[in-house]
Amino acid sequence: MDNGAFCVKTKVYTMSCSCPRRCRPWQGKFISRSGRTTEITDLNGRKYKVYPLSQTSYGEPDGLFGINCGHRPRGVSDGLFTKTSKTSEEYGADDEELYYKVCKQRELERKVRKSKTEADMLDAAGDSEGARTVRQKANQYNKELKGYCQQNGLKYRSDRVKTYGAIEPKKTLDKSDGSGIIKVDRVFRKMGNTGAFSVLPEKMSKKHIRDIADKFGFDISGLTLNIDMNEELLRMPFAGEAVPEHIGTITFFPNAFRSEEELIRTMYHESIHVEQFKEYGVEYVQNHLEEFEKLAYEAENAFIECLKKEGKL
């Protein structure tokens, strides 16, 4: 088989309905980047059809791995995998209803983001009163969104209503004149790494990791992030680790912060190992580490290639 074969898997939701219509048909299907592989067999000897990537909706804005697509490729090797993701055809009639519910959720999320962005712009223009009014409106929209999600059994996604506007100012009590008036100070954030880590261009912080994940549309909700600040790791050829003792935890080593690409590669690669631990068990994965490592690299390279083709990286 060719090394570019992968299974399309939904990470954020268990159903394909959360994604645009043109990517939904490829939920749970096997796809080959080169188009050379036409059939693949799982651990139980069951055969599945493999489709060429060129036959999918990949490359279209509302297509596979496009805008609002919650899918991700999962690398597979012939005879060494079990299929766990359902196809769109295997979901029931409720799929269509849930699709429209999620579409409404996206509409409410856009209203929240729009109001937050407008408030940030007013803040930047010096109109604090106008910004306060609009921010109150954004908070109301956000309450409506949370209520809608709760009523319809949907997951509230805080990352989808996040904006990157003005930094919230630090408030201190000005006692110089005894008035008790709160004074707002300008805040200057530390812009880079220090000491031995000053050579690393990407900021070593959990917030920066989340910002990069948001930038490339990669969902890391549910994962616990750690950063190992051991300077000795700079000399070692490792960028991160999915912690087997705490499934769902990823530790980033200093070398993960050598570039934006290395950082997104690390979080994607290690998240694949997290999925492997959950699906096959830690002991089985570690006993077949070479094969599972190969699958993780294949999925990682497929993901990065998609980002580059879309011009995002």
Side-chain angles (χ1 to χ4, degrees):
M1 79 161 251
D2 83 79
N3 291 331
F6 56 86
C7 177
V8 176
K9 182 177 182 179
T10 301
K11 176 178 173 62
V12 182
Y13 296 89
T14 56
M15 301 179 73
S16 61
C17 59
S18 65
C19 298
R21 285 187 175 274
R22 296 197 65 190
C23 76
R24 290 171 66 200
W26 302 105
Q27 159 68 22
K29 301 288 177 61
F30 292 90
I31 296 170
S32 167
R33 285 181 292 169
S34 70
R36 294 194 299 270
T37 303
T38 58
E39 190 176 70
I40 197 168
T41 306
D42 66 12
L43 277 169
N44 301 313
R46 184 175 178 182
K47 297 183 181 299
Y48 300 91
K49 181 178 179 180
V50 179
Y51 301 85
L53 184 62
S54 59
Q55 188 177 320
T56 71
S57 57
Y58 172 69
E60 299 296 326
D62 59 346
L64 188 60
F65 308 132
I67 299 170
N68 280 337
C69 177
H71 289 114
R72 56 181 285 184
R74 169 196 165 202
V76 293
S77 289
D78 198 21
L80 294 171
F81 72 94
T82 55
K83 188 174 185 298
T84 56
S85 297
K86 290 183 179 180
T87 63
S88 57
E89 292 84 2
E90 291 172 322
Y91 287 117
D94 291 341
D95 179 49
E96 192 71 15
E97 181 184 353
L98 188 53
Y99 171 76
Y100 288 109
K101 287 181 179 179
V102 173
C103 285
K104 178 64 176 179
Q105 180 186 2
R106 296 289 174 265
E107 179 185 337
L108 294 173
E109 290 167 349
R110 288 193 294 272
K111 285 178 67 176
V112 176
R113 289 198 305 272
K114 181 180 178 182
S115 296
K116 284 185 174 182
T117 301
E118 184 181 346
D120 290 338
M121 293 170 65
L122 289 170
D123 261 336
D127 186 358
S128 57
E129 186 62 36
R132 188 180 303 112
T133 301
V134 176
R135 219 174 284 284
Q136 289 174 350
K137 186 192 301 183
N139 290 337
Q140 182 58 40
Y141 288 154
N142 204 32
K143 287 180 182 177
E144 292 176 12
L145 169 62
K146 289 181 177 179
Y148 178 82
C149 291
Q150 187 173 9
Q151 291 170 10
N152 292 280
L154 301 171
K155 180 181 178 181
Y156 171 75
R157 294 279 304 279
S158 60
D159 60 305
R160 287 189 175 272
V161 294
K162 188 175 182 181
T163 58
Y164 301 89
I167 299 172
E168 184 177 350
K170 178 182 176 182
K171 297 179 180 179
T172 58
L173 188 63
D174 184 6
K175 299 180 180 179
S176 59
D177 60 359
S179 66
I181 297 174
I182 291 177
K183 180 178 70 175
V184 178
D185 296 331
R186 275 185 85 185
V187 176
F188 294 91
R189 283 185 178 163
K190 186 175 73 174
M191 297 304 294
N193 304 312
T194 58
F197 305 120
S198 61
V199 297
L200 302 173
E202 299 299 318
K203 189 175 180 182
M204 297 178 69
S205 73
K206 295 179 183 179
K207 181 184 182 303
H208 185 59
I209 294 172
R210 295 189 184 98
D211 288 346
I212 293 297
D214 288 344
K215 176 180 178 179
F216 292 107
F218 182 55
D219 177 49
I220 57 174
S221 59
L223 293 175
T224 300
L225 309 178
N226 290 327
I227 300 174
D228 193 325
M229 305 294 283
N230 186 346
E231 295 179 9
E232 293 299 317
L233 290 170
L234 284 167
R235 302 181 180 90
M236 299 182 183
F238 306 113
E241 174 193 25
V243 183
E245 295 83 6
H246 302 284
I247 298 177
T249 297
I250 295 177
T251 298
F252 291 81
F253 300 156
N255 284 327
F257 300 90
R258 290 194 176 278
S259 69
E260 199 172 72
E261 179 176 334
E262 188 62 37
L263 188 53
I264 189 66
R265 277 184 178 275
T266 301
M267 71 176 78
Y268 191 90
H269 183 101
E270 300 307 331
S271 72
I272 293 293
H273 286 318
V274 170
E275 295 294 322
Q276 291 170 344
F277 289 154
K278 290 179 180 179
E279 190 167 340
Y280 299 99
V282 172
E283 184 178 357
Y284 185 83
V285 171
Q286 291 185 327
N287 288 339
H288 301 80
L289 192 57
E290 184 177 348
E291 186 59 42
F292 280 104
E293 191 68 47
K294 177 183 176 185
L295 293 175
Y297 274 114
E298 289 174 358
E300 170 199 326
N301 289 331
F303 178 67
I304 295 299
E305 184 178 324
C306 288
L307 291 179
K308 289 182 176 179
K309 283 186 177 179
E310 293 169 1
K312 295 179 180 178
L313 189 63

